[in-house]
Amino acid sequence: FFKGINFTFDKRVAMKPDLSSQCTDFGRKSILDGSDSNEAQPNTVELDNDTDYEVVGQCVECLTPYDELCGSRVCTVCRDLVLVCPTCQKEKREYHCNRHAMWKHCYFSFLEVFDRQELDQQRLELIKLRNSLSPVPKFKNARRTLARQIEKVEQRIEGLVHNQVMVERGAPRRCRSCLEPCTVCNGRCWGFWKNSSESESEITRKGRRARQALEAENTVLRNRAA
């Protein structure tokens, strides 16, 4: 017996304690959990008897009871699934899991919305975080991740200084998994959702296209900085 819903590590995603109810592709509801209305909608099946179990999950940001998962809501650092309530989905552009909660003020995958002053502050905080991780062998991977992010921020700053890139305050929110705008991504780009109703090759193509564009921009910045 368990309380709440049980994560199943397959396409069922979650099951209720009685194990007899149907499960959704993305949790237990038939909407994209309060996300913007113009975002792509997933195909889901509503659970039976929603009132007969206790919601024990919590939003990773505000700790409100919440238990609905979606493939497009992942930690921006490690890409683990996170629970984010509808209110926080609207307020946050990127999410951080509990393990990387200390990084939420300085580690972001999409830097186009930040100006030079904000990026300078992120860089200082990232350096401080990296230097605080000791002994080095124990935190080797975390330090490497932070070092890559520091380099990424520095390249973005260099691009702003030389007017090679611009601040885009109104840039659309993008999915951390496939890098596509949230208005395009339907959440079927992560883990066991990849083969739901959209072909894996189509998802791979979208993700590859977005990554290639991002890599091309970073390459240009590195070459010009050199």
Side-chain angles (χ1 to χ4, degrees):
F1 175 80
F2 55 86
K3 292 183 178 180
I5 56 177
N6 186 38
F7 192 66
T8 61
F9 296 93
D10 58 29
K11 289 185 179 181
R12 295 173 300 169
V13 182
M15 297 193 72
K16 290 174 59 178
D18 61 10
L19 303 181
S20 62
S21 297
Q22 291 176 299
C23 296
T24 70
D25 282 346
F26 294 87
R28 66 183 183 90
K29 272 203 166 184
S30 58
I31 59 174
L32 197 57
D33 315 339
S35 300
D36 295 341
S37 59
N38 61 342
E39 293 186 2
Q41 300 294 312
N43 296 320
T44 59
V45 180
E46 190 171 351
L47 283 171
D48 297 331
N49 304 320
D50 253 359
T51 59
D52 65 3
Y53 82 96
E54 177 184 357
V55 176
V56 297
Q58 292 182 322
C59 170
V60 73
E61 294 289 342
C62 67
L63 304 184
T64 297
Y66 192 74
D67 65 358
E68 297 168 19
L69 294 168
C70 179
S72 62
R73 290 193 290 277
V74 298
C75 174
T76 197
V77 181
C78 62
R79 288 190 284 181
D80 280 352
L81 289 170
V82 291
L83 294 171
V84 187
C85 73
T87 299
C88 291
Q89 289 173 39
K90 295 176 182 178
E91 294 177 352
K92 304 289 184 180
R93 292 184 65 91
E94 300 183 35
Y95 315 123
H96 297 76
C97 66
N98 290 329
R99 186 157 58 100
H100 295 112
M102 294 291 291
W103 301 17
K104 67 169 58 178
H105 301 298
C106 60
Y107 192 107
F108 301 96
S109 297
F110 307 112
L111 303 179
E112 59 267 25
V113 298
F114 301 109
D115 59 29
R116 182 180 175 184
Q117 182 177 357
E118 292 168 328
L119 292 170
D120 281 332
Q121 185 60 38
Q122 289 178 26
R123 177 180 172 276
L124 292 175
E125 292 187 29
L126 288 165
I127 292 174
K128 186 183 299 184
L129 275 173
R130 184 190 61 184
N131 293 341
S132 70
L133 297 177
S134 61
V136 174
K138 181 179 178 180
F139 297 101
K140 180 176 65 176
N141 291 335
R143 287 174 62 90
R144 183 184 299 118
T145 298
L146 289 168
R148 286 198 296 262
Q149 183 67 11
I150 292 170
E151 180 183 2
K152 180 178 177 180
V153 171
E154 290 175 341
Q155 290 171 2
R156 182 72 185 180
I157 293 173
E158 188 73 17
L160 289 173
V161 169
H162 292 92
N163 296 318
Q164 297 162 354
V165 294
M166 298 178 61
V167 179
E168 301 176 50
R169 294 293 191 188
R173 287 193 304 157
R174 287 194 277 166
C175 170
R176 178 64 180 87
S177 297
C178 66
L179 306 182
E180 289 286 333
C182 289
T183 52
V184 175
C185 176
N186 57 14
R188 293 194 292 266
C189 56
W190 186 96
F192 38 68
W193 281 304
K194 285 185 177 179
N195 292 321
S196 295
S197 60
E198 186 176 8
S199 69
E200 186 171 4
S201 60
E202 177 66 11
I203 295 170
T204 301
R205 183 187 64 79
K206 286 184 177 180
R208 183 169 60 248
R209 182 182 62 194
R211 285 184 172 83
Q212 286 173 344
L214 188 63
E215 290 170 1
E217 178 182 338
N218 290 334
T219 299
V220 169
L221 292 178
R222 283 196 296 269
N223 291 340
R224 290 178 177 175

